[in-house]
Amino acid sequence: MELRPSGTWLMSDELMSSMIRDETLFVRRRFRKDEEIYAQDSVSSKFYVVVSGLVQIAMIREDGTEVILELMGPQTVCGEGAAIDGLPRFSGATALEETELLEFDAGKLPQLAAHSPEFVAAVLQVTALKQRVLAVRLEQLSSREPETRILEMFGRLARVFAETRDDGKLIVPKLTHEQIAAMTGNTRVTVTRTLGRLKERGEIAIVEGRILLISDRFRD
Protein backbone atom coordinates (compact mmCIF):
# COMPACT_ATOMS: atom_id res chain seq x y z
CA MET A 1 0.00 0.00 0.00
CA GLU A 2 1.33 3.42 -0.89
CA LEU A 3 0.61 6.23 1.58
CA ARG A 4 0.91 9.74 0.23
CA PRO A 5 2.32 12.33 2.65
CA SER A 6 -0.87 14.38 2.41
CA GLY A 7 -3.21 11.47 3.06
CA THR A 8 -4.36 10.36 -0.37
CA TRP A 9 -3.53 6.71 -0.86
CA LEU A 10 -3.53 4.13 -3.59
CA MET A 11 -3.17 0.39 -3.46
CA SER A 12 0.04 -0.85 -4.97
CA ASP A 13 -0.22 -2.89 -8.16
CA GLU A 14 0.75 -5.98 -6.17
CA LEU A 15 -1.95 -5.47 -3.56
CA MET A 16 -4.55 -4.69 -6.20
CA SER A 17 -3.63 -7.89 -8.02
CA SER A 18 -3.97 -9.94 -4.83
CA MET A 19 -7.53 -8.64 -4.34
CA ILE A 20 -8.75 -9.34 -7.86
CA ARG A 21 -6.81 -12.48 -8.71
CA ASP A 22 -9.84 -14.77 -8.33
CA GLU A 23 -12.89 -13.50 -10.22
CA THR A 24 -15.19 -15.81 -8.27
CA LEU A 25 -14.72 -13.54 -5.24
CA PHE A 26 -16.42 -10.44 -6.66
CA VAL A 27 -19.09 -9.10 -9.01
CA ARG A 28 -18.29 -6.40 -11.57
CA ARG A 29 -20.63 -3.43 -11.24
CA ARG A 30 -20.97 -0.37 -13.45
CA PHE A 31 -22.52 2.90 -12.35
CA ARG A 32 -23.64 5.90 -14.37
CA LYS A 33 -22.61 9.46 -13.61
CA ASP A 34 -24.36 10.74 -10.45
CA GLU A 35 -25.68 7.26 -9.62
CA GLU A 36 -25.68 6.31 -5.95
CA ILE A 37 -23.46 3.37 -5.07
CA TYR A 38 -24.54 3.10 -1.45
CA ALA A 39 -26.45 5.37 0.91
CA GLN A 40 -25.53 6.85 4.27
CA ASP A 41 -27.18 4.96 7.15
CA SER A 42 -27.75 1.88 4.99
CA VAL A 43 -26.65 -1.53 6.28
CA SER A 44 -24.88 -3.85 3.86
CA SER A 45 -22.07 -6.37 3.82
CA LYS A 46 -20.91 -5.16 0.39
CA PHE A 47 -17.73 -3.16 -0.24
CA TYR A 48 -16.02 -2.04 -3.42
CA VAL A 49 -12.72 -1.76 -5.24
CA VAL A 50 -12.60 1.03 -7.83
CA VAL A 51 -11.37 -0.16 -11.23
CA SER A 52 -12.08 2.99 -13.25
CA GLY A 53 -13.94 6.25 -12.84
CA LEU A 54 -14.38 8.50 -9.82
CA VAL A 55 -16.33 8.01 -6.58
CA GLN A 56 -17.29 10.72 -4.10
CA ILE A 57 -17.51 9.72 -0.45
CA ALA A 58 -19.63 12.16 1.55
CA MET A 59 -21.73 12.40 4.68
CA ILE A 60 -24.78 14.52 5.44
CA ARG A 61 -24.87 16.20 8.84
CA GLU A 62 -28.06 16.58 10.87
CA ASP A 63 -28.38 20.19 9.66
CA GLY A 64 -28.32 18.98 6.03
CA THR A 65 -24.75 20.10 5.33
CA GLU A 66 -22.79 17.83 3.04
CA VAL A 67 -19.23 16.99 4.03
CA ILE A 68 -17.14 15.47 1.25
CA LEU A 69 -14.67 13.09 2.84
CA GLU A 70 -12.75 11.93 -0.21
CA LEU A 71 -12.65 11.34 -3.94
CA MET A 72 -11.75 7.75 -4.74
CA GLY A 73 -10.17 6.81 -8.05
CA PRO A 74 -8.81 3.55 -9.46
CA GLN A 75 -7.05 1.18 -7.07
CA THR A 76 -8.89 2.41 -3.99
CA VAL A 77 -11.40 0.67 -1.72
CA CYS A 78 -14.60 2.09 -0.26
CA GLY A 79 -17.35 0.88 2.06
CA GLU A 80 -15.31 -1.84 3.74
CA GLY A 81 -15.59 -0.52 7.32
CA ALA A 82 -19.37 -0.74 7.63
CA ALA A 83 -19.42 -3.91 5.52
CA ILE A 84 -17.26 -5.60 8.13
CA ASP A 85 -18.70 -4.21 11.37
CA GLY A 86 -22.33 -4.53 10.20
CA LEU A 87 -23.32 -1.07 11.46
CA PRO A 88 -25.11 1.64 9.42
CA ARG A 89 -22.82 3.44 7.02
CA PHE A 90 -21.67 6.85 8.29
CA SER A 91 -21.21 8.09 4.72
CA GLY A 92 -22.56 7.49 1.23
CA ALA A 93 -20.87 6.96 -2.13
CA THR A 94 -21.80 8.40 -5.52
CA ALA A 95 -20.23 7.91 -8.96
CA LEU A 96 -19.12 11.30 -10.29
CA GLU A 97 -18.59 9.81 -13.76
CA GLU A 98 -18.99 6.47 -15.48
CA THR A 99 -17.44 4.11 -12.95
CA GLU A 100 -16.59 0.40 -12.79
CA LEU A 101 -16.34 -1.28 -9.40
CA LEU A 102 -15.69 -4.74 -8.08
CA GLU A 103 -18.27 -5.65 -5.43
CA PHE A 104 -17.17 -7.91 -2.58
CA ASP A 105 -19.24 -9.42 0.25
CA ALA A 106 -17.67 -9.09 3.70
CA GLY A 107 -20.11 -11.72 4.95
CA LYS A 108 -18.06 -14.27 3.06
CA LEU A 109 -14.72 -13.34 4.63
CA PRO A 110 -14.40 -16.62 6.58
CA GLN A 111 -14.78 -18.62 3.36
CA LEU A 112 -12.54 -16.18 1.54
CA ALA A 113 -9.87 -16.52 4.22
CA ALA A 114 -9.72 -20.25 3.60
CA HIS A 115 -9.83 -19.84 -0.16
CA SER A 116 -7.57 -16.79 -0.52
CA PRO A 117 -5.70 -15.63 2.61
CA GLU A 118 -3.91 -13.00 0.50
CA PHE A 119 -7.27 -11.36 -0.20
CA VAL A 120 -8.22 -11.10 3.47
CA ALA A 121 -4.77 -9.78 4.36
CA ALA A 122 -5.25 -7.11 1.68
CA VAL A 123 -8.64 -6.09 3.13
CA LEU A 124 -7.16 -5.77 6.63
CA GLN A 125 -4.26 -3.72 5.32
CA VAL A 126 -6.62 -1.38 3.47
CA THR A 127 -8.83 -0.90 6.52
CA ALA A 128 -5.93 -0.20 8.89
CA LEU A 129 -4.32 2.30 6.54
CA LYS A 130 -7.55 4.19 5.92
CA GLN A 131 -7.99 4.66 9.68
CA ARG A 132 -4.52 6.21 9.82
CA VAL A 133 -5.25 8.42 6.81
CA LEU A 134 -8.48 9.66 8.41
CA ALA A 135 -6.63 10.61 11.61
CA VAL A 136 -4.04 12.56 9.62
CA ARG A 137 -6.69 14.43 7.66
CA LEU A 138 -8.68 15.31 10.79
CA GLU A 139 -5.54 16.79 12.32
CA GLN A 140 -4.88 18.81 9.18
CA LEU A 141 -8.43 20.17 9.03
CA SER A 142 -8.39 21.24 12.66
CA SER A 143 -5.00 22.94 12.73
CA ARG A 144 -4.32 24.60 9.37
CA GLU A 145 -5.36 27.88 7.83
CA PRO A 146 -8.05 27.78 5.09
CA GLU A 147 -5.61 28.52 2.26
CA THR A 148 -3.20 25.83 3.45
CA ARG A 149 -6.01 23.27 3.61
CA ILE A 150 -7.10 24.13 0.07
CA LEU A 151 -3.54 23.92 -1.27
CA GLU A 152 -3.03 20.61 0.53
CA MET A 153 -6.18 19.22 -1.09
CA PHE A 154 -5.07 20.39 -4.55
CA GLY A 155 -1.69 18.74 -4.07
CA ARG A 156 -3.34 15.53 -2.93
CA LEU A 157 -5.68 15.43 -5.92
CA ALA A 158 -2.87 16.36 -8.29
CA ARG A 159 -0.95 13.23 -7.41
CA VAL A 160 -3.91 11.04 -8.31
CA PHE A 161 -6.20 12.90 -10.71
CA ALA A 162 -4.04 15.37 -12.64
CA GLU A 163 -2.79 15.57 -16.22
CA THR A 164 0.74 16.93 -16.51
CA ARG A 165 1.01 19.74 -19.06
CA ASP A 166 3.75 22.13 -20.10
CA ASP A 167 2.08 24.92 -18.10
CA GLY A 168 1.30 22.89 -14.97
CA LYS A 169 -0.91 20.11 -13.66
CA LEU A 170 -4.59 20.06 -14.59
CA ILE A 171 -6.89 18.42 -12.04
CA VAL A 172 -9.21 16.32 -14.19
CA PRO A 173 -12.40 16.30 -12.08
CA LYS A 174 -14.34 19.56 -12.23
CA LEU A 175 -14.71 20.88 -8.70
CA THR A 176 -17.29 23.46 -7.71
CA HIS A 177 -16.59 25.97 -4.97
CA GLU A 178 -19.15 24.13 -2.86
CA GLN A 179 -17.29 20.83 -3.29
CA ILE A 180 -13.94 22.39 -2.41
CA ALA A 181 -15.53 23.96 0.67
CA ALA A 182 -17.02 20.63 1.74
CA MET A 183 -13.69 18.84 1.30
CA THR A 184 -11.61 21.39 3.21
CA GLY A 185 -13.90 22.49 6.03
CA ASN A 186 -14.27 26.03 4.66
CA THR A 187 -17.23 28.12 3.56
CA ARG A 188 -17.98 28.69 -0.12
CA VAL A 189 -17.20 32.40 0.31
CA THR A 190 -13.80 31.58 1.82
CA VAL A 191 -13.05 29.22 -1.08
CA THR A 192 -14.02 31.84 -3.66
CA ARG A 193 -11.80 34.47 -2.04
CA THR A 194 -8.91 32.06 -1.62
CA LEU A 195 -9.04 30.92 -5.24
CA GLY A 196 -9.07 34.56 -6.29
CA ARG A 197 -5.89 35.24 -4.32
CA LEU A 198 -4.21 32.13 -5.71
CA LYS A 199 -5.05 33.21 -9.26
CA GLU A 200 -3.74 36.73 -8.62
CA ARG A 201 -0.46 35.28 -7.34
CA GLY A 202 -0.19 33.06 -10.41
CA GLU A 203 -0.34 29.80 -8.46
CA ILE A 204 -3.43 28.46 -10.19
CA ALA A 205 -5.57 29.15 -13.25
CA ILE A 206 -9.02 27.99 -14.33
CA VAL A 207 -9.13 26.06 -17.62
CA GLU A 208 -12.60 25.11 -18.86
CA GLY A 209 -13.88 24.89 -15.31
CA ARG A 210 -10.92 22.85 -14.04
CA ILE A 211 -8.12 23.83 -11.68
CA LEU A 212 -4.69 24.21 -13.32
CA LEU A 213 -1.88 24.12 -10.78
CA ILE A 214 0.91 26.40 -11.96
CA SER A 215 3.02 26.92 -8.85
CA ASP A 216 6.34 25.08 -8.59
CA ARG A 217 5.15 23.65 -5.27
CA PHE A 218 2.98 21.20 -7.25
CA ARG A 219 5.72 20.00 -9.58
CA ASP A 220 7.36 16.63 -8.99
Side-chain angles (χ1 to χ4, degrees):
M1 179 75 66
E2 180 179 0
L3 175 61
R4 309 292 190 179
S6 60
T8 290
W9 59 273
L10 296 170
M11 285 193 293
S12 66
D13 292 340
E14 181 180 4
L15 185 52
M16 180 76 172
S17 296
S18 72
M19 295 191 74
I20 65 175
R21 184 173 296 128
D22 188 343
E23 295 199 10
T24 66
L25 302 181
F26 56 81
V27 176
R28 289 187 181 271
R29 299 283 306 278
R30 290 177 173 80
F31 293 84
R32 302 182 301 275
K33 179 180 179 181
D34 297 328
E35 184 176 359
E36 183 180 75
I37 298 168
Y38 56 80
Q40 182 174 330
D41 295 326
S42 63
V43 176
S44 173
S45 61
K46 302 303 194 313
F47 66 96
Y48 304 88
V49 172
V50 184
V51 176
S52 63
L54 184 64
V55 176
Q56 175 179 286
I57 308 298
M59 62 186 300
I60 305 298
R61 294 174 173 165
E62 291 185 2
D63 62 2
T65 303
E66 182 182 53
V67 179
I68 300 175
L69 302 178
E70 191 59 278
L71 299 180
M72 311 292 281
Q75 296 188 215
T76 58
V77 179
C78 55
E80 78 287 349
I84 293 173
D85 66 26
L87 298 175
R89 299 187 187 274
F90 66 85
S91 61
T94 304
L96 294 185
E97 57 187 50
E98 295 286 332
T99 298
E100 180 180 1
L101 304 175
L102 306 181
E103 182 182 84
F104 294 87
D105 189 343
K108 299 180 179 179
L109 284 180
Q111 301 96 301
L112 294 174
H115 180 70
S116 177
E118 297 86 358
F119 170 81
V120 176
V123 172
L124 292 175
Q125 188 175 356
V126 165
T127 303
L129 180 55
K130 287 180 69 176
Q131 293 299 316
R132 182 180 296 273
V133 168
L134 179 59
V136 171
R137 292 199 61 203
L138 287 174
E139 187 278 331
Q140 291 172 341
L141 287 174
S142 64
S143 64
R144 295 188 176 187
E145 294 298 318
E147 181 175 308
T148 303
R149 297 203 299 266
I150 291 172
L151 289 172
E152 183 274 336
M153 186 200 73
F154 286 165
R156 185 160 47 84
L157 295 180
R159 284 187 286 273
V160 182
F161 300 118
E163 295 177 352
T164 300
R165 305 174 7 152
D166 291 339
D167 54 351
K169 290 188 175 181
L170 184 68
I171 296 178
V172 175
K174 288 186 177 181
L175 301 173
T176 66
H177 290 196
E178 288 80 5
Q179 286 176 316
I180 296 172
M183 293 181 71
T184 58
N186 292 305
T187 66
R188 185 189 61 78
V189 172
T190 297
V191 168
T192 299
R193 292 173 177 170
T194 301
L195 295 184
R197 290 196 299 270
L198 293 174
K199 287 191 288 185
E200 289 177 359
R201 297 206 304 260
E203 295 195 47
I204 70 169
I206 307 299
V207 178
E208 297 180 351
R210 294 180 170 87
I211 304 293
L212 176 65
L213 306 175
I214 303 172
S215 173
D216 289 341
R217 78 172 75 201
F218 299 113
R219 298 185 184 276
D220 295 330

